[in-house]
Structure formats: structure tokens, C-alpha cells
Amino acid sequence: MTGKKESANRHIQVRRIYDDAESTDGKRILVDRVWPRGISKDKAELDEWLKDIAPSDELRKWYSHDPEKFDEFARRYREELKDESRAEALEQLKSLVGSGPLTLLTASKRDDISQAAVLKKTLDSGKHG
């Protein structure tokens, strides 16, 4: 799923925080509300922890990472991103996009159906606007 005019300086990827940091990660941003179990701050090698951008507890619990609910979760989460505190965090994230590679980190078992994946798609779609 690559190829849509992705320039090297605007590369955004989603990874699990439990994976080792790589030299190609660029800025590493944790987008979970709760600090991941079993990870020290040193091992995480974070540039930023944007916990305000995470989905509400209510939405997170409803979703429970059920792949069948992902599309509806993504829709509801995009709505939540319009809330004042999340909108500010999203603007902060958008400001990092042009400064080189960006890695959105999550503790989710499946990063492809996580809030980080929704954020990546949101950031990718905003590149041209």
C-alpha cells in the first residue's frame, strides 16, 4: 500500500513500541494514553509522548481491538480528534510531519488496526492540503 507520492522527508510509519528502535524511525512518538507495560523510558527511545491524542477510554473499551469494529472505530476516533485537547495534539503531530521521518508508536498487538494507523492515514491525507 505504498506509492502515493510519498516523499522521503514526509515518511510516516506505524510500529509497535515493543520493537527495537531503528535508525530509519526518525522522530518516535507514542500515541497511547497509558504507558506500555514492560517498557522502560530508556528502551522506548521516545521523542514525544502525545497521550492527549489517544482515543477516549470509552471508545477504546468499546473497540477492544476487534477487527470487525475497526472501520467504525476509525470513524468515531476521527470525530474525537476534533475535540479541543485532541485537536491541539493533532496539530502538534502535524507540525512534526515535514521535519523528516516520523514513527507513530503503539502498544497494540496489531498496529494495523490501532489508533496509530488511523493517525497515519489522517496525516497522510492532510499532506496535500
Side-chain angles (χ1 to χ4, degrees):
M1 286 196 193
T2 59
K4 289 187 180 174
K5 294 184 182 177
E6 189 171 69
S7 64
N9 68 334
R10 290 188 162 200
H11 177 72
I12 303 168
Q13 65 179 340
V14 172
R15 297 189 60 220
R16 295 189 71 228
I17 192 149
Y18 299 105
D19 298 334
D20 290 335
E22 295 181 1
S23 60
T24 56
D25 283 351
K27 289 207 184 309
R28 293 170 51 86
I29 314 295
L30 178 62
V31 295
D32 290 355
R33 182 166 311 281
V34 179
W35 187 263
R37 289 184 184 157
I39 292 283
S40 69
K41 303 243 187 215
D42 287 341
K43 175 151 175 40
E45 296 184 45
L46 290 183
D47 291 292
E48 195 90 36
W49 179 17
L50 290 180
K51 54 184 152 185
D52 287 341
I53 206 165
S56 66
D57 286 340
E58 180 182 73
L59 180 57
R60 185 178 52 79
K61 288 173 184 170
W62 169 82
Y63 175 42
S64 192
H65 285 87
D66 177 349
E68 297 292 314
K69 294 180 176 177
F70 179 70
D71 289 341
E72 180 62 15
F73 164 76
R75 187 193 69 73
R76 291 183 188 187
Y77 181 42
R78 282 191 299 272
E79 281 301 309
E80 283 192 352
L81 288 172
K82 296 174 184 174
D83 295 348
E84 188 175 335
S85 65
R86 284 184 192 85
E88 285 178 26
L90 182 59
E91 285 306 312
Q92 190 177 349
L93 197 55
K94 285 177 180 178
S95 72
L96 298 171
V97 172
S99 65
L102 184 64
T103 299
L104 305 177
L105 298 165
T106 181
S108 300
K109 285 187 171 94
R110 286 193 50 194
D111 59 21
D112 63 320
I113 58 169
S114 69
Q115 73 269 12
V118 176
L119 287 169
K120 178 188 182 325
K121 188 171 184 179
T122 300
L123 292 169
D124 282 345
S125 67
K127 286 179 183 176
H128 309 292

